[in-house]
Amino acid sequence: MGFKETKYILENVKTGRQFNDGEWTLADPEGDSPALIRAVYEEKKFKPTNQRGLYRYSNWMPIKRTLRNSHAPVTYKSRKLAEKLGLENLYITFSGWCPKIGARMETCAFKETEAYTICARMSKDNKRILVVQSAGNTARAFAKVCSDNRIPIVICIPEDNKRDMWFTKKLNPCVKIIAAPKGCDYYDAIALGEKLCQDPKYMAEGGAKNVARRDGMGTTVLSAVEKIGRIPDAYFQAVGSGTGAIAAWENAERLAADGRFGKNNMRIYASQNAPFTIMYDSWKADSRELLPLDPNEGRRQAEVIMAKVLSNRKPPYSIAGGLYDVLKASNGDMFKVSNDDIIYWMLEFFDLEGYDLFPAAACAVASLAQAVENGQVKKDEVIMLNLTGGGMLKAMRKGYIRHEPDLVLSPELPAEEIIAKVNALFVEEKKPILNLRRRKA
């Protein structure tokens, strides 16, 4: 059966004002203060479709089409990790590469969920070039999705994270990777992309403000509830921006409104890798506003943590509908996890569950262990552990290709110079990049 465009409207989470989606709406045009917007779907019941991969959940995605090669998160009931932690109803939702459990995300990260949804929100006749900023996994996911589907994109990363730019096959030239120089962090990559988007031919992906990003990431909860049959009591995830946790809460709200899966009593438990704990520190101080963090100190902290993808200095924590509000509404909490604990749980998890985790996912496991130890979760509660990436050891057995940045540019350069240098990359191609997607896939 062919795909029908999803029907929805947008809602300001602070004021409740509802309005139609424009070409690429990221905020309420009539909003008088910062607030996330949320998709309100015509389909109120949770109804998985017969579409392939991630688009099984397309009824709750703000998309205009489907794309090639997507895969959905996989949820299963843990036995060995559950036994070690003394838990009776621990469900693991894994987004990565582990074919034996049905997980086949080639980039090994749940960032594929957002890439396939955001790119599908764009119409086929879009003429602008997408710009995405990333600390690593998001970059790899968007590069793969856009390469497979011939969608022009510029991806901005810190050069120190270029080791994450590995792929199972050569990228299509419609994908350009731009790096902020060594010593820069994710926020510098954000600044680079913001300057590039001063040219109207480029369009900012939007981060947490993009409803497609959140509703793609929220498919982890849909996978879990489809398996469990009810909304979990507790949800665990390591966070860099907190967008995945916000998305989880939003879909739990939709599921509660459905009426068949119980009330939304799901406590959101988020974790960060110490010493980069800007959200943890702000939460523990009961501060809606992020506590001050000197940029140089933030870069230093980002350099020493194992889970480098958890190093966003400007996360959507304070904004209406952001992580602070979600933690309050869900009666949740935050944890901080050391590098030593991450290493321990990477090794322990591999021994128990049989596949390797990225450091960020191991951070989530460590936070669950802390919650068990201090009594924040009960042994008979239904717990969802969202493991956001892993399986790289097995995925790389097929071989991989490293993609070096196409340009290294300082975010301190004038916007005009950055735009000119990136424009030149597209001009250098023998055929116009914007025509690539018109070829038969």
Side-chain angles (χ1 to χ4, degrees):
M1 183 182 293
F3 172 76
K4 293 183 180 179
E5 187 173 325
T6 308
K7 294 182 179 180
Y8 66 96
I9 57 174
L10 299 176
E11 180 179 82
N12 183 318
V13 301
K14 184 175 183 180
T15 66
R17 191 184 88 86
Q18 295 186 340
F19 53 98
N20 291 326
D21 193 4
E23 180 184 357
W24 198 249
T25 304
L26 300 175
D28 180 356
E30 296 183 14
D32 58 2
S33 60
L36 295 179
I37 55 175
R38 185 177 297 164
V40 178
Y41 295 100
E42 182 178 275
E43 178 55 71
K44 302 301 182 186
K45 296 292 185 180
F46 174 42
K47 294 181 179 179
T49 73
N50 61 358
Q51 297 292 324
R52 293 183 177 181
L54 187 71
Y55 300 115
R56 174 175 180 76
Y57 305 118
S58 59
N59 280 336
W60 284 357
M61 292 179 175
I63 58 177
K64 296 179 172 65
R65 54 175 169 155
T66 60
L67 303 173
R68 299 171 58 228
N69 302 332
S70 76
H71 297 280
V74 172
T75 299
Y76 67 96
K77 189 172 185 179
S78 169
R79 183 172 63 85
K80 291 187 177 181
L81 177 62
E83 288 177 356
K84 180 176 179 63
L85 296 176
L87 298 172
E88 297 175 2
N89 296 296
L90 173 60
Y91 289 85
I92 293 174
T93 300
F94 178 63
S95 301
W97 181 264
C98 186
K100 73 177 183 179
I101 64 171
R104 294 182 175 274
M105 293 186 182
E106 291 184 5
T107 65
C108 301
F110 93 135
K111 297 300 185 178
E112 283 190 29
T113 62
E114 60 193 70
Y116 275 106
T117 313
I118 287 168
C119 292
R121 188 186 181 193
M122 300 165 59
S123 62
K124 291 182 180 179
D125 59 357
N126 172 66
K127 298 294 190 296
R128 299 167 73 192
I129 300 173
L130 189 64
V131 176
V132 170
Q133 300 106 315
S134 169
N137 289 339
T138 299
R140 193 167 64 254
F142 272 91
K144 176 205 181 300
V145 173
C146 290
S147 179
D148 286 355
N149 292 278
R150 298 181 176 182
I151 298 171
I153 188 170
V154 176
I155 300 170
C156 304
I157 64 169
E159 188 178 13
D160 289 340
N161 294 27
K162 70 178 184 178
R163 64 187 177 281
D164 290 325
M165 296 301 98
W166 58 265
F167 304 92
T168 56
K169 58 185 177 183
K170 187 177 180 181
L171 293 178
N172 187 290
C174 67
V175 177
K176 303 299 182 186
I177 298 176
I178 312 301
K182 291 182 178 180
C184 291
D185 67 359
Y186 176 46
Y187 188 63
D188 296 303
I190 291 175
L192 200 58
E194 287 176 345
K195 287 188 175 180
L196 181 60
C197 286
Q198 291 181 26
D199 187 320
K201 76 164 62 72
Y202 297 98
M203 58 187 294
E205 173 267 321
K209 294 180 180 180
N210 193 322
V211 291
R213 171 177 279 220
R214 301 203 311 276
D215 289 352
M217 299 168 98
T219 59
T220 54
V221 169
L222 301 184
S223 169
V225 170
E226 188 174 11
K227 173 69 176 180
I228 303 167
R230 53 159 288 193
I231 299 170
D233 297 309
Y235 169 98
F236 286 81
Q237 185 194 327
V239 295
S241 69
T243 308
I246 298 167
W249 175 254
E250 290 177 332
N251 263 348
E253 290 280 81
R254 293 186 181 109
L255 289 161
D258 178 312
R260 295 174 294 163
F261 304 100
K263 296 180 179 180
N264 181 15
N265 296 318
M266 186 173 77
R267 307 188 303 278
I268 301 293
Y269 291 120
S271 53
Q272 292 202 285
N273 184 183
F276 196 103
T277 54
I278 184 171
M279 287 189 286
Y280 169 89
D281 295 335
S282 303
W283 171 252
K284 291 300 184 181
D286 195 22
S287 172
R288 170 181 283 276
E289 300 305 316
L290 289 168
L291 298 183
L293 177 62
D294 178 76
N296 291 327
E297 176 61 16
R299 293 185 183 99
R300 187 197 69 78
Q301 292 176 359
E303 287 177 359
V304 301
I305 61 172
M306 284 197 66
K308 304 221 177 274
V309 297
L310 307 182
S311 58
N312 188 338
R313 281 192 278 130
K314 300 290 183 179
Y317 172 85
S318 306
I319 190 171
L323 187 62
Y324 179 84
D325 284 342
V326 165
L327 292 172
K328 284 288 187 181
S330 70
N331 195 28
D333 202 357
M334 291 202 71
F335 299 84
K336 62 178 178 180
V337 175
S338 69
N339 284 341
D340 287 346
D341 283 342
I342 286 177
I343 293 171
Y344 173 83
W345 283 108
M346 288 175 73
L347 296 172
E348 194 72 8
F349 189 91
F350 185 85
D351 183 54
L352 294 168
E353 296 291 336
Y355 54 93
D356 60 286
L357 294 180
F358 285 159
C363 181
V365 181
S367 68
L368 173 59
Q370 287 184 34
V372 171
E373 184 176 359
N374 64 29
Q376 284 181 268
V377 294
K378 299 176 182 177
K379 69 175 185 178
D380 61 344
E381 286 190 303
V382 175
I383 298 168
M384 175 187 168
L385 176 60
N386 185 6
L387 300 182
T388 54
M392 189 170 70
L393 296 178
K394 293 183 179 180
M396 283 189 165
R397 289 177 185 173
K398 300 185 298 180
Y400 64 94
I401 298 168
R402 287 200 180 276
H403 188 103
E404 290 291 319
D406 297 284
L407 277 177
V408 177
L409 295 173
S410 169
E412 302 295 328
L413 289 173
E416 314 85 70
E417 187 172 345
I418 291 172
I419 291 166
K421 289 180 180 294
V422 175
N423 283 345
L425 291 177
F426 289 99
V427 173
E428 287 170 6
E429 299 300 331
K430 294 181 181 179
K431 294 185 178 181
I433 288 296
L434 292 176
N435 289 335
L436 282 172
R437 77 178 116 205
R438 300 191 181 107
R439 298 179 186 173
K440 187 175 181 181

